[in-house]
Amino acid sequence: MERSAVVEPDLDEVEHWGHPPHLHAGGQLVTAITGSGVLRIDDRDCPFDAATGIWVPPRVLHSGVFAPDLVPLAVDLDDDALPQQARLVTIDADLRALLLAWARDHDDARNAVRGRQIAAAVHRAPALRHPLRLPRGPLTRPVMEHLRVAPAVVPPLEEWSRKLHASVATIRRAFLAETGTTYSEWTTLFRLELSIAPLCAGETVATVARTMGFSPNGYTLAFRRWTGQTPSDYRSRLEV
């Protein structure tokens, strides 16, 4: 496993620093010893600091803007089985101790073992997702309030048109303007967001699917498109 250098900027000369868009042949877990930064991956801004790491898969274009006090730590992981999607990795006390030991120790054999343990943490981490924009307007917010109470019931736009005294086209345009997605896409994503809490509380996948208005197969397919993992895999990785 290659070792990435820890770079310390001259704080007297920079207000911020970073890297232009680039990619690596291998994957990296990027975190911080101190300070913070933001990686931009697939048009997403991904903040990281000493408590948060970002898994950057091989050959994924990314750039970075870093605070002047950032002391970064990038761990190169050469493992074809690692995720091919960017992931958000929580750096708990055990993982932080492991990363710091990796940074300090130049023994290849010990660091090979640590590398496998770090890779396991990446495997458990959830995929990065675009944050869901919430509707705020008078023609869109009622939809969100309804789904919070009754997620299994998604009224057609024609029904909202009658209730809100606005045309279907007007409501459709409002959703696109406020959330960046269509009515159908947004209601699906919002119900997937709502499903995380009962899923991680131990409800069965079938029960969560029915509660959110999906068939079990439909829920699994939608969840996988959203996170890159099945609901069961997502939950099991959080529990490890």
Side-chain angles (χ1 to χ4, degrees), residues 133-141 173-181:
R133 290 164 59 184
L134 300 181
R136 302 295 184 189
L139 299 180
T140 55
R141 187 179 179 86
R173 285 195 298 269
F175 253 96
L176 192 59
E178 292 179 32
T179 71
T181 62

Side-chain angles (χ1 to χ4, degrees), residues 127-148:
L128 287 173
R129 304 192 301 272
H130 288 283
L132 187 62
R133 290 164 59 184
L134 300 181
R136 302 295 184 189
L139 299 180
T140 55
R141 187 179 179 86
V143 176
M144 178 176 67
E145 293 171 346
H146 164 82
L147 290 177
R148 286 193 190 278

Side-chain angles (χ1 to χ4, degrees), residues 108-132:
D108 290 341
R110 287 192 294 266
N111 276 334
V113 174
R114 294 182 182 116
R116 289 191 289 273
Q117 294 173 302
I118 295 168
V122 172
H123 273 293
R124 294 193 296 269
L128 287 173
R129 304 192 301 272
H130 288 283
L132 187 62

Side-chain angles (χ1 to χ4, degrees), residues 95-229:
L95 181 55
R96 181 168 174 79
L98 188 66
L99 290 165
L100 291 176
W102 182 94
R104 290 192 301 261
D105 194 350
H106 295 279
D107 184 277
D108 290 341
R110 287 192 294 266
N111 276 334
V113 174
R114 294 182 182 116
R116 289 191 289 273
Q117 294 173 302
I118 295 168
V122 172
H123 273 293
R124 294 193 296 269
L128 287 173
R129 304 192 301 272
H130 288 283
L132 187 62
R133 290 164 59 184
L134 300 181
R136 302 295 184 189
L139 299 180
T140 55
R141 187 179 179 86
V143 176
M144 178 176 67
E145 293 171 346
H146 164 82
L147 290 177
R148 286 193 190 278
V149 176
V153 180
V154 184
L157 277 172
E158 290 75 13
E159 184 173 331
W160 285 113
S161 176
R162 291 190 296 271
K163 288 181 177 180
L164 300 173
H165 308 290
S167 70
V168 167
T170 298
I171 299 173
R172 186 181 288 123
R173 285 195 298 269
F175 253 96
L176 192 59
E178 292 179 32
T179 71
T181 62
T182 66
Y183 173 80
S184 177
E185 292 169 333
W186 188 87
T187 54
T188 295
L189 292 172
F190 187 61
R191 288 180 294 146
L192 290 172
E193 288 274 12
L194 292 176
S195 78
I196 292 293
L199 181 71
C200 293
E203 295 282 355
T204 67
V205 171
T207 298
V208 173
R210 286 193 296 271
T211 301
M212 297 298 152
F214 296 93
S215 69
N217 285 342
Y219 176 60
T220 296
L221 288 172
F223 197 96
R224 177 179 279 166
R225 285 195 297 269
W226 183 50
T227 66
Q229 306 169 66

